């Protein structure tokens, strides 16, 4: 059966293919405009609230990186899709008590925002590496870009980044990968990601290997690419509106 025949039998796969191609075109155009054709960002499809079957369909279309923000949902999907060579990225707020389960499937955690979580992840990784021999866990420090602390969407204050970076750098089983942020609601994404780029430059001055910038979602990926995003977290523009939560 050809790929066209499969798409004809499965309208959802065809829909996902069209949405994925549209997003990839946006990324290519934005990367070209930013003179980054040799260094395009990695696409992470945020599959939260969508079924494992959609992840499998997208894997068949060449997607290898998926983001989740709830541990139970991510763990269940990862266990259902063990036959696929996927990288799972945990992108939501993470409770310290969930560290021991997250390290069983996650390639990276993009939401490290406090010292307590670093300690929990280090402890969990020690046990998991002894159990399975897995490699290091990539950790992004989530930074809050909100001016108004009462309205922020999560993350450590920029002033706390050096201490968290030092803790991660010295933690066994963890790798300081870079920083992550969400543009504040209603804010100019260019201004937000320009600020994030500056924070990243300061971090790389002390830790040259921490080159990652996880930034940019469906509505602001072009701005994120302009200011150096290395990882994009795209959900709704590929998977559509989230299904009704039962």
């Amino acid at each position: 059966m050809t790929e066209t025949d499969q798409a004809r039998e499965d309208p959802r796969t065809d829909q996902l293919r069209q949405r994925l191609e549209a997003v990839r075109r946006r990324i290519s155009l934005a990367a070209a405009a930013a003179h980054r054709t040799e260094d395009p960002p990695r696409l992470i499809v945020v599959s939260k609230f969508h079924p494992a079957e959609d992840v499998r369909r997208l894997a068949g279309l060449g997607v290898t990186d998926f983001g989740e923000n709830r541990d139970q949902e991510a763990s269940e999907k990862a266990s259902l899709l063990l036959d696929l060579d996927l990288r799972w990225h945990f992108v939501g707020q993470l409770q310290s008590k969930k560290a021991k389960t997250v390290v069983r499937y996650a390639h990276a955690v993009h939401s490290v925002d406090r010292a307590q979580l670093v300690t929990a992840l280090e402890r969990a990784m020690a046990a998991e590496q002894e159990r399975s021999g897995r490699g290091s866990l990539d950790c992004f420090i989530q930074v809050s870009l909100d001016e108004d602390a009462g309205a922020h969407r999560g993350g450590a204050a920029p002033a706390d980044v050096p201490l968290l970076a030092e803790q991660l750098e010295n933690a066994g089983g963890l790798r300081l990968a870079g920083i992550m942020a969400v543009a504040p609601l209603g804010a100019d994404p260019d201004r937000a990601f320009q600020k994030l780029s500056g924070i990243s430059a300061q971090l790389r001055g002390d830790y040259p290997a921490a080159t990652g910038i996880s930034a940019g979602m469906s509505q602001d990926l072009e701005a994120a690419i302009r200011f150096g995003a290395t990882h994009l977290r795209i959900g709704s523009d590929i998977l559509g509106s989230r299904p009704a939560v039962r």
Side-chain angles (χ1 to χ4, degrees), residues 38-99:
E38 301 299 319
D39 180 33
R42 172 172 291 178
L43 172 62
I44 299 170
V45 176
V46 179
S47 49
K48 63 182 182 181
F49 303 121
H50 292 272
E53 290 81 2
D54 278 350
V55 175
R56 187 175 293 279
R57 290 180 178 103
L58 286 165
L61 297 173
V63 178
T64 56
D65 294 81
F66 292 89
E68 291 283 336
N69 73 341
R70 298 192 302 178
D71 174 57
Q72 182 176 348
E73 181 181 355
S75 182
E76 289 173 356
K77 286 180 187 173
S79 66
L80 288 171
L81 300 167
L82 287 174
D83 58 307
L84 301 177
D85 186 16
L86 304 179
R87 285 186 292 258
W88 293 97
H89 300 254
F90 193 87
V91 300
Q93 297 298 295
L94 180 60
Q95 295 177 296
S96 296
K97 66 182 180 180
K98 297 290 188 180

Side-chain angles (χ1 to χ4, degrees), residues 13-232:
T13 298
D14 193 42
Q15 180 188 58
L16 290 173
R17 178 185 290 105
Q18 293 179 41
R19 288 174 170 271
L20 179 62
E21 288 175 351
V23 167
R24 284 174 168 163
R25 280 195 298 271
R26 285 177 63 191
I27 293 171
S28 294
L29 289 171
H35 307 290
R36 293 186 54 193
T37 54
E38 301 299 319
D39 180 33
R42 172 172 291 178
L43 172 62
I44 299 170
V45 176
V46 179
S47 49
K48 63 182 182 181
F49 303 121
H50 292 272
E53 290 81 2
D54 278 350
V55 175
R56 187 175 293 279
R57 290 180 178 103
L58 286 165
L61 297 173
V63 178
T64 56
D65 294 81
F66 292 89
E68 291 283 336
N69 73 341
R70 298 192 302 178
D71 174 57
Q72 182 176 348
E73 181 181 355
S75 182
E76 289 173 356
K77 286 180 187 173
S79 66
L80 288 171
L81 300 167
L82 287 174
D83 58 307
L84 301 177
D85 186 16
L86 304 179
R87 285 186 292 258
W88 293 97
H89 300 254
F90 193 87
V91 300
Q93 297 298 295
L94 180 60
Q95 295 177 296
S96 296
K97 66 182 180 180
K98 297 290 188 180
K100 62 183 178 181
T101 52
V102 165
V103 301
R104 293 193 169 220
Y105 60 83
H107 166 78
V109 172
H110 290 238
S111 49
V112 177
D113 59 357
R114 60 197 186 280
Q116 180 186 14
L117 180 56
V118 178
T119 300
L121 287 169
E122 181 181 19
R123 186 180 301 119
M125 277 296 294
E128 182 60 21
Q129 287 185 318
E130 183 175 352
R131 185 188 75 86
S132 68
R134 65 154 293 169
S136 296
L137 176 72
D138 281 0
C139 293
F140 293 77
I141 298 172
Q142 183 176 358
V143 185
S144 172
L145 301 178
D146 291 273
E147 304 295 337
D148 178 4
H152 81 75
R153 302 174 72 178
D160 293 335
V161 170
L163 289 176
L164 286 171
E166 182 179 9
Q167 187 182 6
L168 282 167
E169 183 71 10
N170 294 322
L174 307 182
R175 189 183 81 85
L176 175 59
I179 55 174
M180 182 274 256
V182 179
L185 289 169
D188 176 6
D190 279 87
R191 180 180 176 186
F193 294 140
Q194 183 177 32
K195 179 178 180 179
L196 187 65
S197 178
I199 296 170
S200 173
Q202 292 177 334
L203 179 66
R204 293 196 313 274
D206 294 322
Y207 306 98
T211 57
I213 301 178
S214 174
M217 298 189 292
S218 293
Q219 70 273 17
D220 54 24
L221 70 85
E222 285 85 2
I225 291 172
R226 268 196 300 279
F227 289 99
T230 60
H231 296 69
L232 304 171

